[in-house]
Each structure stands twice: as structure tokens, then as C-alpha cells.
Amino acid sequence: IDQIVDFIEQVILPQQEEEESGSTTRTKKVHIVGNSVGGHLAVFLAAKRPDLIQSVVLLNATPVWGLNLPGWSGRLPAPWLPKRIGRYLFDQIRDLGTIEQYLQAAYHNQQAFDPPLMQHIRNCTEGTGGHAAFASILWSPPITVSEECGRKFYDALTELKCDVLLLFGREDPWCTVAFAKRMLEQLELRNNHNHDDNIHRFVQCSNVGHCPNHEAPTATAHILKHWLQSERRRRRRQMPLFARDRISERWGDTHLQELKSQDIALGWIDRLAVTFV
């Protein structure tokens, strides 16, 4: 999170100030969009530095991260045993066959990924330090913001002082719409913490898996455009987030639907999953 904060303060905001030179208004906050683990980090970033964040968009965000394995805090350099275990597992995970299996599970539309994407993912693991970083992820505890905020992702959601948009692929096998429902319920608790002006909305994308930004790029961009253009909170609360509810991607149509938490019905398996995760 500290690295993201540094990037915003040292790169994004100075660049924006340069582009806005001569303007009467200056940008002091940013919109942050995170998919999967990126969504997890985005929530803690916004909770830790509300002065930097205008709004948060969560694309099938994962509510858990960090296994907190015993014997090491996760701070680098890694001890001998975690380093060896991390190296072995990292090499297994970044194998092209494993990457293909992961994408087959994550993507509802198998045509949305191809061998060049698999190789690109593999190439991202070729730099130095990957094995140690992976070991650190396995052993690190969950992220914390403060003692008041607590240790859990859902606690951090109730602390957010910015607007939040949830955009979830309905066919995600892991970060399901059931988790989106629980996130919405946590965001609704902000009304009890004097955050009455904050807005949260949820859009479900059918025919989409874990990565809406890649599997449904046209639909995702369409929704984000409406969200980002509605700077005034009254408009953001009321305006439609999409002009049409059916958007064509190269591999099929995506149907968009805005839902409230009470609109999402859960089966017993979903209820069990959100209780323990």
C-alpha cells in the first residue's frame, strides 16, 4: 500500500498538476479501480489515505489475502525454509500449463484468453525477486489499517469515506456475487458512522467471470465512463450507470443489471461461503 501511495503522490498527482496548469481547479484526489487482489488493496488504500481517494471501483474484489503461515512475519529477506518453499510453489504456479488452467477457471468465455496472454503473464514472473515476494505473500498476515479499523477487509469497507462502485462478473467461480452482497451490506453500515453522503452502487455483468476488465472491456469501460463523469454526488446517486443493458464483446453479449443488496438471493452454499471467508 505504501508503494501505491508513493506512486500517486510522486507520479500521478504531479503529472496531473502539470496538465492542469493554468486551470482554476486542481486535482488532489484520484479514482482507483482494482480487480481481484487489486480491489482488496484499493479498499485498504482508501481506508488508510482518504485524503487521496475520490472513489473506489471494485471488480470482483477478493475479501481475503495473506495466509499468515507460522514461523515468519513475511518481511524480506526470507528465511531459508520459506524461501525454498516459495521458490518451489512459485515455479509451479508460473508454469504455462498452470496458467492455462487458472485462466480456464477464471474466464467464463474461453475465447477471451489466448497463448500470447499466457506468455505475457509468464513473462511478468521472469524478473528477479519473484520467488521471495511470493513467499512473503504466503507468510504475511492480513493487511491492517489501524487498531480501530480492525484486521478484516469488511471492517475496512465500513471505514471508507468515498463513493464505491462494485462491478462483478456473475460467473466468477471464486469472488461470487454472494461476496458482493456482503460488501454492499457492510457499505450500508457507513450510515451509522456519520458517512451519510457516501454512495455505493452495484452492477452485475452476466456472461463474465473473474476479470471483467479483460473479459468484458467494452462493458467495463462503458460503466466506468458514466461513473467517472458523474462527479457531483447527486448525479452519481441518481444517474444511470449504463445507457444500454446489453453490450457486445468479441466473444458474446454481456447483460448489465444494477442491483441492491436485498435483490441478491443466496443459496445455502453461498451463505456458508460468505460466513467463513
Side-chain angles (χ1 to χ4, degrees):
I1 289 179
D2 291 338
Q3 291 178 340
I4 303 174
V5 169
D6 289 344
F7 184 75
I8 292 172
E9 292 183 326
Q10 298 175 21
V11 179
I12 301 298
L13 292 180
Q15 180 178 337
Q16 192 66 25
E17 286 182 6
E18 183 177 339
E19 294 176 358
E20 293 176 347
S21 59
S23 173
T24 56
T25 59
R26 294 296 179 89
T27 300
K28 295 183 180 179
K29 292 187 175 184
V30 301
H31 301 273
I32 187 162
V33 182
N35 173 226
S36 189
V37 177
H40 189 89
L41 294 175
V43 168
F44 283 96
L45 171 62
K48 184 175 182 180
R49 292 296 305 271
D51 57 304
L52 290 178
I53 307 303
Q54 178 74 19
S55 77
V56 170
V57 181
L58 303 178
L59 310 178
N60 290 76
T62 175
V64 293
W65 190 249
L67 298 181
N68 199 21
L69 297 179
W72 177 39
S73 67
R75 292 184 176 274
L76 298 173
W80 182 86
L81 183 59
K83 186 176 182 180
R84 296 301 183 277
I85 294 174
R87 178 177 292 276
Y88 172 78
L89 293 177
F90 186 67
D91 285 341
Q92 296 299 311
I93 288 174
R94 69 195 188 115
D95 177 79
L96 283 174
T98 304
I99 293 173
E100 182 176 15
Q101 291 177 9
Y102 167 82
L103 294 178
Q104 287 173 346
Y107 282 68
H108 180 67
N109 297 283
Q110 302 298 290
Q111 307 96 316
F113 69 89
D114 51 19
L117 174 62
M118 294 163 49
Q119 187 61 54
H120 178 70
I121 294 173
R122 166 74 187 195
N123 292 343
C124 292
T125 71
E126 298 292 349
T128 59
H131 297 90
F134 182 75
S136 178
I137 291 171
L138 293 178
W139 264 265
S140 293
I143 304 172
T144 59
V145 176
S146 65
E147 291 297 328
E148 294 77 15
C149 182
R151 294 176 59 86
K152 297 181 180 179
F153 171 84
Y154 296 109
D155 296 324
L157 279 173
T158 63
E159 296 294 317
L160 297 187
K161 300 177 182 178
C162 62
D163 296 341
V164 181
L165 171 64
L166 277 65
L167 175 59
F168 272 55
R170 190 183 67 184
E171 278 66 49
D172 187 344
W174 306 311
C175 302
T176 65
V177 173
F179 291 104
K181 178 181 175 70
R182 185 174 176 188
M183 293 176 198
L184 287 171
E185 292 172 342
Q186 291 300 121
L187 289 167
E188 289 165 2
L189 295 177
R190 297 187 297 173
N191 292 337
N192 300 325
H193 293 77
N194 299 319
H195 300 159
D196 298 8
D197 292 336
N198 294 319
I199 297 163
H200 53 271
R201 299 177 68 175
F202 168 59
V203 177
Q204 173 182 270
C205 304
S206 68
N207 201 31
V208 179
H210 185 62
C211 304
N213 48 312
H214 191 260
E215 195 170 352
T218 306
T220 301
H222 180 77
I223 295 168
L224 287 179
K225 181 180 178 181
H226 282 74
W227 175 260
L228 298 177
Q229 286 180 340
S230 57
E231 287 290 345
R232 294 183 184 178
R233 282 193 162 160
R234 179 176 297 179
R235 288 190 61 203
R236 183 171 288 162
R237 188 184 301 275
Q238 298 174 349
M239 73 174 295
L241 290 174
F242 41 89
R244 55 190 188 279
D245 60 7
R246 178 177 174 179
I247 295 180
S248 296
E249 306 290 351
R250 284 185 295 165
W251 31 80
D253 290 345
T254 295
H255 296 270
L256 308 178
Q257 185 180 16
E258 182 167 5
L259 300 171
K260 305 289 187 182
S261 61
Q262 59 268 27
D263 299 329
I264 305 172
L266 301 184
W268 70 269
I269 294 179
D270 287 329
R271 292 179 184 276
L272 191 64
V274 298
T275 299
F276 290 100
V277 177

Short mmCIF file of all heavy atoms in Angstrom, two decimals, residues 35-37 59-62 102 105-108 167-176 208-215:
data_model
loop_
_atom_site.label_atom_id
_atom_site.label_comp_id
_atom_site.label_asym_id
_atom_site.label_seq_id
_atom_site.Cartn_x
_atom_site.Cartn_y
_atom_site.Cartn_z
N ASN A 35 -9.06 -4.94 -9.55
CA ASN A 35 -9.64 -6.26 -9.84
C ASN A 35 -9.00 -7.30 -8.93
O ASN A 35 -7.79 -7.31 -8.75
CB ASN A 35 -9.41 -6.61 -11.31
CG ASN A 35 -9.84 -8.03 -11.67
OD1 ASN A 35 -9.12 -8.76 -12.33
ND2 ASN A 35 -11.01 -8.44 -11.22
N SER A 36 -9.82 -8.17 -8.35
CA SER A 36 -9.34 -9.28 -7.54
C SER A 36 -8.53 -8.77 -6.35
O SER A 36 -9.04 -8.00 -5.53
CB SER A 36 -8.52 -10.24 -8.41
OG SER A 36 -8.21 -11.42 -7.72
N VAL A 37 -7.26 -9.15 -6.25
CA VAL A 37 -6.41 -8.65 -5.16
C VAL A 37 -6.23 -7.14 -5.25
O VAL A 37 -6.10 -6.46 -4.24
CB VAL A 37 -5.04 -9.36 -5.20
CG1 VAL A 37 -4.12 -8.80 -4.12
CG2 VAL A 37 -5.21 -10.85 -5.00
N LEU A 59 -13.71 -4.53 -8.91
CA LEU A 59 -14.05 -5.51 -9.94
C LEU A 59 -13.79 -6.90 -9.37
O LEU A 59 -12.64 -7.34 -9.29
CB LEU A 59 -13.21 -5.28 -11.20
CG LEU A 59 -13.17 -3.86 -11.77
CD1 LEU A 59 -12.26 -3.81 -12.99
CD2 LEU A 59 -14.56 -3.37 -12.12
N ASN A 60 -14.84 -7.58 -8.96
CA ASN A 60 -14.70 -8.92 -8.36
C ASN A 60 -13.56 -8.95 -7.35
O ASN A 60 -12.64 -9.78 -7.44
CB ASN A 60 -14.50 -9.97 -9.45
CG ASN A 60 -15.74 -10.20 -10.28
OD1 ASN A 60 -16.08 -9.39 -11.14
ND2 ASN A 60 -16.44 -11.29 -10.02
N ALA A 61 -13.62 -8.03 -6.41
CA ALA A 61 -12.57 -7.93 -5.39
C ALA A 61 -12.56 -9.16 -4.49
O ALA A 61 -13.62 -9.69 -4.14
CB ALA A 61 -12.78 -6.67 -4.56
N THR A 62 -11.37 -9.61 -4.11
CA THR A 62 -11.26 -10.72 -3.18
C THR A 62 -11.27 -10.17 -1.75
O THR A 62 -10.58 -9.20 -1.45
CB THR A 62 -9.99 -11.54 -3.42
OG1 THR A 62 -9.88 -12.53 -2.39
CG2 THR A 62 -8.74 -10.68 -3.39
N TYR A 102 -5.57 -21.96 -14.72
CA TYR A 102 -6.13 -20.84 -13.96
C TYR A 102 -7.06 -19.99 -14.83
O TYR A 102 -8.17 -19.64 -14.40
CB TYR A 102 -5.00 -19.96 -13.41
CG TYR A 102 -5.49 -18.64 -12.87
CD1 TYR A 102 -6.02 -18.54 -11.59
CD2 TYR A 102 -5.44 -17.49 -13.65
CE1 TYR A 102 -6.50 -17.34 -11.10
CE2 TYR A 102 -5.92 -16.28 -13.17
CZ TYR A 102 -6.44 -16.20 -11.89
OH TYR A 102 -6.91 -15.02 -11.43
N ALA A 105 -10.39 -21.50 -15.53
CA ALA A 105 -11.32 -21.40 -14.40
C ALA A 105 -11.81 -19.97 -14.21
O ALA A 105 -12.98 -19.74 -13.89
CB ALA A 105 -10.63 -21.88 -13.13
N ALA A 106 -10.91 -18.99 -14.42
CA ALA A 106 -11.25 -17.59 -14.14
C ALA A 106 -12.14 -16.98 -15.20
O ALA A 106 -12.99 -16.13 -14.89
CB ALA A 106 -9.97 -16.77 -14.00
N TYR A 107 -11.98 -17.40 -16.45
CA TYR A 107 -12.70 -16.79 -17.57
C TYR A 107 -13.93 -17.62 -17.92
O TYR A 107 -13.83 -18.83 -18.15
CB TYR A 107 -11.80 -16.67 -18.79
CG TYR A 107 -10.83 -15.52 -18.73
CD1 TYR A 107 -9.78 -15.51 -17.81
CD2 TYR A 107 -10.95 -14.45 -19.61
CE1 TYR A 107 -8.90 -14.46 -17.75
CE2 TYR A 107 -10.06 -13.39 -19.56
CZ TYR A 107 -9.04 -13.40 -18.63
OH TYR A 107 -8.17 -12.35 -18.58
N HIS A 108 -15.08 -16.98 -17.98
CA HIS A 108 -16.29 -17.67 -18.42
C HIS A 108 -16.24 -17.94 -19.91
O HIS A 108 -16.68 -18.99 -20.37
CB HIS A 108 -17.52 -16.82 -18.07
CG HIS A 108 -18.81 -17.45 -18.48
ND1 HIS A 108 -19.29 -18.61 -17.89
CD2 HIS A 108 -19.73 -17.10 -19.42
CE1 HIS A 108 -20.44 -18.93 -18.44
NE2 HIS A 108 -20.73 -18.05 -19.38
N LEU A 167 -18.50 -3.74 -9.40
CA LEU A 167 -18.78 -4.25 -10.74
C LEU A 167 -18.29 -5.69 -10.78
O LEU A 167 -17.09 -5.94 -10.75
CB LEU A 167 -18.07 -3.39 -11.79
CG LEU A 167 -18.16 -3.83 -13.25
CD1 LEU A 167 -19.61 -3.90 -13.70
CD2 LEU A 167 -17.38 -2.87 -14.14
N PHE A 168 -19.22 -6.63 -10.80
CA PHE A 168 -18.88 -8.05 -10.66
C PHE A 168 -19.34 -8.86 -11.86
O PHE A 168 -20.47 -8.71 -12.33
CB PHE A 168 -19.52 -8.64 -9.40
CG PHE A 168 -18.70 -8.49 -8.16
CD1 PHE A 168 -18.26 -7.25 -7.74
CD2 PHE A 168 -18.39 -9.60 -7.39
CE1 PHE A 168 -17.51 -7.11 -6.60
CE2 PHE A 168 -17.63 -9.48 -6.24
CZ PHE A 168 -17.19 -8.23 -5.83
N GLY A 169 -18.44 -9.75 -12.33
CA GLY A 169 -18.83 -10.76 -13.29
C GLY A 169 -19.65 -11.83 -12.58
O GLY A 169 -19.21 -12.38 -11.56
N ARG A 170 -20.82 -12.15 -13.09
CA ARG A 170 -21.74 -13.07 -12.41
C ARG A 170 -21.21 -14.49 -12.37
O ARG A 170 -21.50 -15.26 -11.45
CB ARG A 170 -23.10 -13.04 -13.11
CG ARG A 170 -24.21 -13.77 -12.35
CD ARG A 170 -25.51 -13.76 -13.12
NE ARG A 170 -25.41 -14.56 -14.35
CZ ARG A 170 -26.38 -14.65 -15.25
NH1 ARG A 170 -27.50 -13.96 -15.08
NH2 ARG A 170 -26.23 -15.41 -16.33
N GLU A 171 -20.42 -14.88 -13.38
CA GLU A 171 -19.96 -16.27 -13.48
C GLU A 171 -18.60 -16.51 -12.82
O GLU A 171 -17.99 -17.56 -13.05
CB GLU A 171 -19.91 -16.70 -14.95
CG GLU A 171 -21.25 -17.13 -15.52
CD GLU A 171 -22.28 -16.02 -15.62
OE1 GLU A 171 -21.94 -14.93 -16.14
OE2 GLU A 171 -23.42 -16.22 -15.18
N ASP A 172 -18.13 -15.60 -12.01
CA ASP A 172 -16.87 -15.80 -11.30
C ASP A 172 -17.01 -16.99 -10.34
O ASP A 172 -17.91 -17.01 -9.50
CB ASP A 172 -16.54 -14.53 -10.50
CG ASP A 172 -15.15 -14.59 -9.87
OD1 ASP A 172 -14.57 -15.68 -9.76
OD2 ASP A 172 -14.64 -13.51 -9.48
N PRO A 173 -16.12 -18.00 -10.44
CA PRO A 173 -16.25 -19.16 -9.55
C PRO A 173 -15.72 -18.91 -8.15
O PRO A 173 -15.98 -19.71 -7.24
CB PRO A 173 -15.41 -20.23 -10.27
CG PRO A 173 -14.36 -19.45 -10.98
CD PRO A 173 -15.03 -18.16 -11.42
N TRP A 174 -14.97 -17.84 -7.95
CA TRP A 174 -14.33 -17.56 -6.66
C TRP A 174 -14.96 -16.36 -5.94
O TRP A 174 -15.57 -16.52 -4.90
CB TRP A 174 -12.83 -17.33 -6.86
CG TRP A 174 -12.15 -18.44 -7.59
CD1 TRP A 174 -12.26 -19.78 -7.33
CD2 TRP A 174 -11.29 -18.31 -8.73
NE1 TRP A 174 -11.50 -20.50 -8.23
CE2 TRP A 174 -10.89 -19.63 -9.10
CE3 TRP A 174 -10.81 -17.24 -9.46
CZ2 TRP A 174 -10.03 -19.88 -10.16
CZ3 TRP A 174 -9.95 -17.48 -10.52
CH2 TRP A 174 -9.58 -18.78 -10.86
N CYS A 175 -14.77 -15.18 -6.47
CA CYS A 175 -15.32 -13.96 -5.87
C CYS A 175 -16.73 -13.75 -6.42
O CYS A 175 -16.96 -12.94 -7.33
CB CYS A 175 -14.42 -12.76 -6.16
SG CYS A 175 -12.74 -12.97 -5.56
N THR A 176 -17.66 -14.49 -5.89
CA THR A 176 -19.01 -14.55 -6.44
C THR A 176 -19.84 -13.33 -6.04
O THR A 176 -19.43 -12.52 -5.21
CB THR A 176 -19.72 -15.82 -5.96
OG1 THR A 176 -19.89 -15.72 -4.53
CG2 THR A 176 -18.90 -17.06 -6.27
N VAL A 208 -19.75 -13.20 -17.73
CA VAL A 208 -18.42 -12.68 -17.40
C VAL A 208 -17.92 -13.39 -16.14
O VAL A 208 -18.69 -13.62 -15.21
CB VAL A 208 -18.46 -11.16 -17.16
CG1 VAL A 208 -17.07 -10.63 -16.78
CG2 VAL A 208 -18.97 -10.44 -18.39
N GLY A 209 -16.62 -13.70 -16.11
CA GLY A 209 -16.02 -14.37 -14.97
C GLY A 209 -15.30 -13.42 -14.04
O GLY A 209 -15.79 -12.35 -13.70
N HIS A 210 -14.08 -13.81 -13.65
CA HIS A 210 -13.35 -13.13 -12.57
C HIS A 210 -12.74 -11.80 -12.99
O HIS A 210 -12.44 -10.97 -12.12
CB HIS A 210 -12.25 -14.06 -12.06
CG HIS A 210 -11.49 -13.54 -10.88
ND1 HIS A 210 -12.10 -13.28 -9.67
CD2 HIS A 210 -10.18 -13.22 -10.73
CE1 HIS A 210 -11.19 -12.83 -8.82
NE2 HIS A 210 -10.03 -12.78 -9.43
N CYS A 211 -12.53 -11.57 -14.27
CA CYS A 211 -11.81 -10.37 -14.73
C CYS A 211 -12.67 -9.57 -15.70
O CYS A 211 -12.46 -9.62 -16.92
CB CYS A 211 -10.49 -10.76 -15.40
SG CYS A 211 -9.40 -11.78 -14.37
N PRO A 212 -13.63 -8.79 -15.21
CA PRO A 212 -14.50 -8.02 -16.11
C PRO A 212 -13.72 -7.05 -16.99
O PRO A 212 -14.10 -6.80 -18.14
CB PRO A 212 -15.43 -7.26 -15.15
CG PRO A 212 -15.38 -8.02 -13.88
CD PRO A 212 -14.01 -8.61 -13.80
N ASN A 213 -12.63 -6.49 -16.45
CA ASN A 213 -11.85 -5.52 -17.22
C ASN A 213 -11.22 -6.13 -18.46
O ASN A 213 -10.96 -5.42 -19.44
CB ASN A 213 -10.76 -4.91 -16.34
CG ASN A 213 -9.98 -5.95 -15.57
OD1 ASN A 213 -10.55 -6.84 -14.95
ND2 ASN A 213 -8.66 -5.86 -15.60
N HIS A 214 -11.01 -7.44 -18.47
CA HIS A 214 -10.41 -8.08 -19.65
C HIS A 214 -11.42 -8.92 -20.42
O HIS A 214 -11.37 -8.98 -21.65
CB HIS A 214 -9.23 -8.96 -19.24
CG HIS A 214 -8.41 -9.43 -20.40
ND1 HIS A 214 -8.54 -10.68 -20.95
CD2 HIS A 214 -7.47 -8.79 -21.15
CE1 HIS A 214 -7.71 -10.81 -21.97
NE2 HIS A 214 -7.06 -9.69 -22.12
N GLU A 215 -12.36 -9.53 -19.70
CA GLU A 215 -13.32 -10.39 -20.38
C GLU A 215 -14.50 -9.59 -20.95
O GLU A 215 -15.14 -10.01 -21.91
CB GLU A 215 -13.84 -11.45 -19.40
CG GLU A 215 -14.55 -12.59 -20.08
CD GLU A 215 -14.86 -13.74 -19.13
OE1 GLU A 215 -14.39 -13.72 -17.97
OE2 GLU A 215 -15.58 -14.66 -19.55
#
